[in-house]
Amino acid sequence: MTDLLSTIRAEIDVRLRELRPIVAEYERLTSATDALVAGGRAARQPRGEVRRAAKKPSRPVRRKRARSAPNPTGQAILAALEHGSHTVAELVVVTALPTPELRDGLRDLRRRRAIVRTDRDGRSAYALPTPAA
C-alpha cells in the first residue's frame, strides 16, 4: 500500500511541475486582460466641462479635433460594414461588442461621417457612405 501511495504522489509531483509554467502564463494573461479592461473604462470616462470663451461666456469654445483613425470599436464596425449594411442587432452579433460600446462607436463614426444611417426593410441600419460620382 505504501508503494502505491508513493507512486501516486510521485506522479502528482511530476504533473504539478509540468503545469506550473502554464498556471504562471494564465495569471500573466489574466492580469493583462484586467489591465486592458481597466484602461478601456478609463478611456470612456466623461471628459471635463467645455471651456467658455473669455469675451462671450454664453458660447462654448469649439476645439478642432485632429482627424485620427477610429478606435478599435470603430475599426470593428467599419470592417463589418464593408460587407454591406447592418442593423445594430446584427452588428452586435458580427462584432461581439457590448451594445452600449457599439452605439458609442456608431455615434462617433456618424459624427466623423465615416458611416451613414440608412433604412433597410423598414428598420434602421448603418452602411458605409457611397462615393460621390
Side-chain angles (χ1 to χ4, degrees), residues 52-132:
R52 303 279 176 189
K55 293 182 181 179
K56 298 180 181 180
S58 63
R59 297 185 72 190
V61 174
R62 297 190 118 199
R63 297 180 190 151
K64 289 187 179 180
R65 288 190 176 184
R67 293 261 180 190
S68 60
N71 58 21
T73 300
Q75 291 174 351
I77 294 169
L78 291 173
L81 294 178
E82 287 178 358
H83 303 286
S85 65
H86 290 293
T87 63
V88 171
E90 292 168 345
L91 285 169
V92 167
V93 172
V94 172
T95 61
L97 292 169
T99 304
E101 189 174 331
L102 182 79
R103 288 189 185 279
D104 289 343
L106 289 169
R107 191 176 308 114
D108 181 51
L109 290 171
R110 283 189 67 201
R111 187 178 64 242
R112 293 171 185 250
R113 298 188 178 162
I115 62 171
V116 294
R117 192 173 188 170
T118 62
D119 185 59
R120 195 182 78 205
D121 300 327
R123 298 180 67 197
S124 292
Y126 296 89
L128 297 175
T130 56

